[in-house]
Amino acid sequence: MQHHQLFPELSRLRATFQQGVTREAAWRRAQLQALEMFLVEREVQIAAALHQDLRKSSAESFLTETGYLRGEIRFALKHLKRWMKPHRVSVPLIYRPAKAASLREPYGVVLIIGAWNYPLQLCLEPLISAIAAGNCAVIKPSEYAPYTASLLAHELPRYLDTNAISVIEAGVEESKKLLQERFDYIFYTGSEAVGREVMLAAARHVTPLTLELGGKCPCIVDDDADITVAARRIVWAKLLNAGQTCLAPDYILVHESRETELINAMQHAIRNFYGDNPQQSPDYPRIINAHHVERLAALLNGELIACGGVADAADRYIAPTILRGVSPDSPLMESEIFGPLLPVITYAKLAEALAIINKGKTPLAVYLFSSNRAVQQMVLRNTRSGGLCINDLLLHAALPALPFGGVGASGFGRYHGRAGFETFSFQRSVLHRHIFPDPDVRYPPYHRWKVRLLRWLSGGG
Ligand code: NAD
């Protein structure tokens, strides 16, 4: 018996699950609809919180958080019935007459730990999957995005079944205590270092988990690329949320013949999107906190700045910055940048670019700008990553029908759409036999005729 003195809501959630409330399709639908209602009715409040935490524009908040989540909810509602259907399988002759199926069963009480960069989406997207699969859930938003965390803790319970879904605000120490509790599944988004801690804590209770981690996502621009389109798409993907996106292009590998053209086109795109002084643009977000501003500013030391390079700690501002002539051994290439600094590295042969990618840890995504089929195949075959997007960036993660997640250092497990439903449920195999007939053949003593019959029935001759 566990005693939840620290987190009394856990006993309540467990009781709800045991009563079977969350297994009902009607409950799942009602909660998903209520979650959409929260996103619709509280859109302005949510946008205000995201603005305070990260100075996201309301357009960006809609695009990457509220609007995006609503699309996922509608997708789940549309497909839920099909996802929940038992998967009937045929029964071999020897076991007939019988019916066999695998069912998708909810785990029970799941824990969702979100990161600060998409503080709403990273908590609620897994919640959609958890609800669709029939679980109770505890959400632990990131304390580094305090306005969004507080909004989730205070407003979300007004919409959802609080006997089944709970939001716990917690910093590092309290999160560690929370992880000492037994959960039936843990879904973690954040850095690799903390992911390891979460995995250790999960091991204590043999709790299955998903780790959605980060990494350095490379973007290759090969010699045949359409530079104008590539530049616009790269700049958009890099500066969304001021580069604080797990899927942002971390660095560019460009064919040496196109370097100058690409850098000029990216500068042009930055000016077009954010004006001459991006600090004045209402569309350009801020860095989450002073610590990260300092970390990013330090990365500029000794690098050749093609544009940007301005840091204003008081305003948590780092200008969109392109760095040219970057060496693969630069400190910029050591860990995930997670900010608006874009190193550009040149290569003469594609193999050199692939070698740089493969020297590093496995990224969440690889990007390629090239319309050459052979080049596309070569990048697909010779790199490893959670996703690959050709001639664009980020969008492969926006399709609800495509599973999303990492591999190697970028994590494991998949979600979005059906993949999320499957992550939050397990396959329970059910065989249903009839009482009659009950032939003697399976029982000892095994006379020769029985063995012969059994061999024939099982197809083994
Ligand atoms: P963070 O600091 O917000 O930490 C993530 C969560 O872990 C928070 O809720 C935090 O409270 C909790 N936490 C911190 N220390 C803990 C501990 N010792 N025990 C238990 N919980 C603890 O976010 P972060 O780690 O700075 O996130 C940034 C990283 O996340 C980047 O590497 C980024 O690429 C990655 N990320 C990945 C995805 C993805 O979908 N794969 C999405 C967003 C971010």
Side-chain angles (χ1 to χ4, degrees):
M1 226 4 223
Q2 285 192 31
H3 298 282
H4 301 304
Q5 279 136 356
L6 269 174
F7 306 101
E9 50 274 81
L10 296 186
S11 313
R12 191 175 75 237
L13 265 49
R14 200 156 287 289
T16 304
F17 184 72
Q18 274 157 8
Q19 284 154 18
V21 178
T22 61
R23 286 172 175 269
E24 299 302 324
W27 182 89
R28 304 183 197 192
R29 302 193 88 83
Q31 293 305 303
L32 289 173
Q33 280 154 356
L35 189 56
E36 185 171 19
M37 197 56 84
F38 165 74
L39 295 170
V40 173
E41 288 185 0
R42 301 304 175 109
E43 188 179 332
V44 173
Q45 220 176 325
I46 293 168
L50 292 167
H51 192 264
Q52 277 173 297
D53 283 328
L54 287 146
R55 263 219 34 201
K56 290 193 200 207
S57 64
S58 55
E60 193 168 316
S61 291
F62 180 79
L63 192 66
T64 63
E65 307 242 22
T66 45
Y68 170 77
L69 286 165
R70 283 167 60 186
E72 277 281 340
I73 293 173
R74 283 195 297 272
F75 189 83
L77 284 168
K78 188 169 161 204
H79 296 283
L80 187 61
K81 201 168 160 195
R82 187 166 344 133
W83 296 344
M84 285 177 70
K85 256 199 198 129
H87 178 67
R88 288 278 299 270
V89 298
S90 71
V91 177
L93 188 62
I94 190 169
Y95 305 117
R96 286 186 201 167
K99 278 187 284 195
S102 73
L103 312 182
R104 280 280 167 189
E105 296 257 321
Y107 277 104
V109 180
V110 304
L111 172 63
I112 296 165
I113 302 179
W116 52 261
N117 59 335
Y118 289 87
L120 188 85
Q121 197 226 98
L122 297 175
C123 285
L124 298 190
E125 165 102 61
L127 180 66
I128 294 168
S129 304
I131 292 173
N135 295 279
C136 290
V138 172
I139 302 167
K140 211 300 286 170
S142 174
E143 70 278 23
Y144 293 114
Y147 290 95
T148 310
S150 164
L151 178 86
L152 281 170
H154 296 105
E155 302 302 327
L156 194 61
R158 294 176 197 269
Y159 289 81
L160 300 180
D161 178 354
T162 51
N163 286 324
I165 295 152
S166 197
V167 182
I168 295 182
E169 283 189 272
V172 172
E173 287 315 311
E174 226 185 346
S175 298
K176 286 185 184 166
K177 289 190 189 125
L178 188 58
L179 279 170
Q180 284 171 13
E181 300 284 345
R182 185 174 68 79
F183 287 94
D184 301 303
Y185 199 92
I186 298 174
F187 191 100
Y188 170 81
T189 304
S191 63
E192 188 187 345
V194 176
R196 208 172 288 128
E197 297 296 313
V198 173
M199 200 166 169
L200 278 170
R204 215 171 302 133
H205 298 289
V206 205
T207 299
L209 79 165
T210 292
L211 296 181
E212 296 286 347
L213 313 176
K216 289 179 84 63
C217 302
C219 177
I220 303 173
V221 181
D222 205 24
D223 58 0
D224 74 315
D226 180 317
I227 295 293
T228 310
V229 174
R232 282 159 60 89
R233 292 183 180 178
I234 290 169
V235 165
W236 173 78
K238 179 71 179 185
L239 298 183
L240 197 74
N241 204 23
Q244 303 162 108
T245 302
C246 54
L247 281 167
D250 189 272
Y251 60 98
I252 304 293
L253 292 160
V254 61
H255 189 269
E256 58 188 9
S257 64
R258 312 298 296 275
E259 183 200 16
T260 304
E261 201 186 335
L262 179 69
I263 289 177
N264 290 342
M266 291 197 297
Q267 280 180 253
H268 187 71
I270 294 170
R271 266 199 309 279
N272 269 345
F273 296 171
Y274 303 105
D276 286 334
N277 181 4
Q279 196 164 3
Q280 307 290 330
S281 164
D283 295 324
Y284 188 67
R286 292 297 180 265
I287 304 305
I288 188 73
N289 56 35
H291 161 72
H292 281 284
V293 175
E294 280 166 31
R295 179 184 63 80
L296 290 162
L299 284 174
L300 296 172
N301 287 338
E303 299 291 348
L304 194 61
I305 295 170
C307 74
V310 179
D312 178 350
D315 189 25
R316 292 190 280 134
Y317 171 78
I318 299 265
T321 301
I322 299 173
L323 302 138
R324 73 182 308 164
V326 176
S327 150
D329 303 320
S330 152
L332 275 166
M333 293 300 290
E334 269 165 27
S335 48
E336 187 181 6
I337 294 172
F338 222 54
L341 316 181
L342 187 58
V344 178
I345 298 174
T346 56
Y347 65 85
K349 291 214 170 73
L350 188 60
E352 293 166 25
L354 299 179
I356 292 172
I357 295 172
N358 291 329
K359 214 177 100 193
K361 292 180 176 177
T362 310
L364 196 53
V366 167
Y367 301 116
L368 167 68
F369 280 89
S370 172
S371 300
N372 181 327
R373 288 283 296 274
V375 168
Q376 294 171 355
Q377 281 303 310
M378 185 149 166
V379 171
L380 177 65
R381 295 223 177 114
N382 294 291
T383 60
R384 195 172 80 130
S385 61
L388 171 68
C389 189
I390 295 171
N391 291 330
D392 214 323
L393 308 95
L394 312 188
L395 301 186
H396 65 292
L399 270 56
L402 272 186
F404 172 79
V407 61
S410 50
F412 55 83
R414 292 290 177 271
Y415 75 136
H416 293 193
R418 185 182 193 128
F421 173 87
E422 289 180 351
T423 283
F424 281 99
S425 58
F426 66 93
Q427 287 174 301
R428 189 173 191 190
S429 299
V430 179
L431 177 69
H432 185 162
R433 296 248 305 147
H434 298 280
I435 289 294
F436 299 109
D438 189 36
D440 266 351
V441 57
R442 75 191 263 187
Y443 303 115
Y446 294 117
H447 301 303
R448 265 233 300 255
W449 71 267
K450 290 190 182 178
V451 175
R452 241 184 266 141
L453 186 58
L454 280 172
R455 288 176 77 94
W456 179 79
L457 280 170
S458 59

